[in-house]
Structures are given as structure tokens and as C-alpha cells.
Amino acid sequence: MLAVAATLLGDSMLYAVMPSQPEAWSLSVPAVGLLLSANRLVRLVTNSVAAIAFERFGARAPFTFALVLSVGVTLAYGWSTAFVVLLGARMLWGTSWSMLRLGGFWTVLDEARDDNRGLLMGAYNAIVRMGSVGGALIGATLTDAIGHRPTLTIFAGTMAVAGGVWFVSTRGQRPVERVETSGGTSTMAGLVAVLADRRLLVTGAGGLITGLVFSGLVTASLGFFLKEHFGDEVAFLGIAMGVTSATGWLLGAQWSLGLPLAPLLGHLSDRFGRVPVTSGGFALGAVGLAILALSSTVPLILVGVLVSFVAATGLT
């Protein structure tokens, strides 16, 4: 889990820095939006590719490949300003994250029971999002101090060390047995099963909305939102902070909320059911978005952001 958390350092830093400093990569704002969404769009395909890889080769080989790939794309973020290269790196990160995420879910669900599945999934998300906290907070602060290239290089080195530790420490463990299937056929059968089940379709639609609104709109555009409202500095309680650092601290607060809240909300879903927790998350999210849409002062924007973050944690 800690190795997966480390891979999020570079990705989370981009969400904190790139929207408020597009000029550092010689990018326009629309180009930033495309880059920050490319890794999610490509997962419409790579999630199935990851499933086939895990079925054929087990978990260890695809997971190792994804760890190595994540180091490479992080270096590309730092040392390239060519849009095509950055777009390719973002698409490769989407491929990597499909495998890392599936490997983490596979491990958790293999150990879970009906009465603790929410708790374990919440704990997994809390641990993994430690990487997002570090990427946003440390990444934004270091970028203001030393620039984005040294910061991303440091993150790539950290990811390589974490991946090496995982590889060595798990080498003696019994590998997950491969699933002897016909690959694409079983994946297609799974897709047909989802499309034929209204409950799964509704759940999938809820996940789509959650991703579009919170991971997409709020997270990806927060830096641009703050810069449009306040310029290059945000002042609050007599303290002025660069908009990049402010974005990083807010995104860090979002993912930090997951550390206590994700296991708690997961446990509540185990006890009271998934539907009440999910419905409450959507209602709370609507309130947070309404506050953001109607507010122009720092305190109210802060409230709207935090409410939205709590909702996103519960829904995830």
C-alpha cells in the first residue's frame, strides 16, 4: 500500500501546481485541462487491459511494471514541456494506475468479509492517499521554493526507493496464482454482466458522477479557480500565501480528511448499508458545490471546498 501511495506523489503535485502555473510547462489553460483528464480517459480502456494482465500473469509482474512506469512518467512531467510528450506521459500514468489500483483492490477484497469490507476499503484508501497528501503539500511548497523540475525529480527518486523496498520485501511471498481464462472473453463476459444488472449500472453511474465532479471538476480546477478569484496570492487571517501553495494545502487537506474519515465512513456503510452513506454523500456534495458556486470570500470558499471534500471521501 505504501508503494502505491508513493506513486501518487507526482500525479497529485500536478493537480496542485499545473493549473496555477501553466506557464512553467509553456501550456495554455485548456491544454492543462486536457492533460489532467487524459489519465482518466485512457482508463476506459486500460482498466480492462489491467484485468486481462492480472488474469494471465498474476499480480506481481503487472504491479512491478506499473511501479517502474510510474517513475518514468514522473520524470517526464518534470523534464519535458512538449505537449505531446506530456500527453503520452499522462496516458501511460493512466495505464500504470489501472494496474496499481486493481492490485490494491484485489489484495483488500481477497481479505475482506461482508461485515468489514467498507472498513478495509476505507483504510486502504486512507493509506494510499497519504501519497496524495505529500504530493500536494510538499510538491506545491517545494515548487514555490526550488521549482517544479527538482521537485518532480525528488519525487521520482522517492517512488523508485519505495518500489524497490516493496519488490525486495515481497519477493519471498507466495505469488497469487494466475487465473486460467480466455482473457478478453472473460472480460467481455464481465462487462455484459455489469450492463445487464441495473444495480451495478446505477453504482457505475454514481461513480462516473463522483469522478467527473469531485476528482475532475473540483480537484483539477481548484488552482485555476483560486487564481481567478484572488490572483497570485490568497490572503486569509492576515497571512498571504502564493496561489500554488494555497492550492497544495487545500488539496492536502482534502486527502488528509480521508485518513480518519475513510475508515469511519466505510465502517458506517458496513453497519447501516451502502445506500444511506452514498445518498448522504451526494446530498452533502451538492451543498458544497452550491457554496462554491455562490461564494467569493475565502472563509466561504474554504467551507465549500471542505464540505465537497468530505462528500468525495464518503462517496469514494
Side-chain angles (χ1 to χ4, degrees):
M1 289 185 187
L2 292 177
V4 177
T7 65
L8 287 170
L9 290 170
D11 177 68
S12 299
M13 174 188 155
L14 288 192
Y15 284 104
V17 176
M18 192 174 273
S20 59
Q21 293 189 19
E23 66 279 356
W25 285 268
S26 302
L27 297 171
S28 65
V29 173
V32 169
L34 180 59
L35 288 175
L36 293 182
S37 62
N39 63 304
R40 298 180 184 279
L41 294 173
V42 76
R43 287 192 346 235
L44 293 170
V45 175
T46 60
N47 282 346
S48 295
V49 173
I52 294 171
F54 273 64
E55 287 176 345
R56 290 186 176 179
F57 305 111
R60 186 174 177 81
F63 197 82
T64 302
F65 170 76
L67 288 173
V68 174
L69 189 59
S70 66
V71 175
V73 300
T74 302
L75 288 173
Y77 297 157
W79 291 96
S80 178
T81 57
F83 177 78
V84 173
V85 175
L86 291 170
L87 180 62
R90 292 299 287 164
M91 295 174 71
L92 287 174
W93 164 245
T95 304
S96 175
W97 184 241
S98 288
M99 296 181 182
L100 293 168
R101 193 170 188 239
L102 180 59
F105 285 170
W106 187 342
T107 301
V108 173
L109 295 177
D110 189 53
E111 299 293 330
R113 307 183 305 271
D114 284 346
D115 62 346
N116 69 354
R117 184 175 296 113
L119 175 63
L120 292 183
M121 286 299 299
Y124 166 79
N125 278 311
I127 294 171
V128 167
R129 281 303 170 185
M130 288 170 61
S132 295
V133 175
L137 290 178
I138 300 173
T141 304
L142 283 180
T143 297
D144 276 343
I146 63 175
H148 73 283
R149 283 183 176 175
T151 301
L152 284 163
T153 302
I154 292 170
F155 281 171
T158 302
M159 292 157 59
V161 171
V165 170
W166 170 83
F167 187 82
V168 171
S169 63
T170 60
R171 188 166 47 188
Q173 294 182 3
R174 182 180 61 86
V176 178
E177 296 182 0
R178 289 181 296 172
V179 181
E180 298 297 333
T181 68
S182 53
T185 302
S186 64
T187 302
M188 183 58 66
L191 179 60
V192 170
V194 171
L195 295 176
D197 190 326
R198 285 188 301 172
R199 296 172 303 168
L200 293 179
L201 276 178
V202 170
T203 303
L208 173 64
I209 294 169
T210 300
L212 283 173
V213 173
F214 297 107
S215 299
L217 175 64
V218 177
T219 300
S221 66
L222 182 60
F224 180 74
F225 176 83
L226 293 176
K227 191 168 186 177
E228 286 291 292
H229 274 74
F230 306 109
D232 292 331
E233 285 191 342
V234 179
F236 183 56
L237 297 177
I239 300 174
M241 182 181 295
V243 68
T244 300
S245 295
T247 303
W249 280 93
L250 281 175
L251 290 178
Q254 171 191 6
W255 292 312
S256 295
L257 284 172
L259 301 181
L261 283 183
L264 173 61
L265 294 173
H267 173 68
L268 291 177
S269 75
D270 289 330
R271 184 169 183 179
F272 301 109
R274 318 298 176 198
V275 173
V277 174
T278 304
S279 301
F282 277 118
L284 192 63
V287 172
L289 292 173
I291 294 173
L292 285 175
L294 299 173
S295 302
S296 58
T297 64
V298 174
L300 282 177
I301 288 175
L302 183 61
V303 170
V305 167
L306 292 178
V307 169
S308 298
F309 289 167
V310 172
T313 299
L315 289 169
T316 301

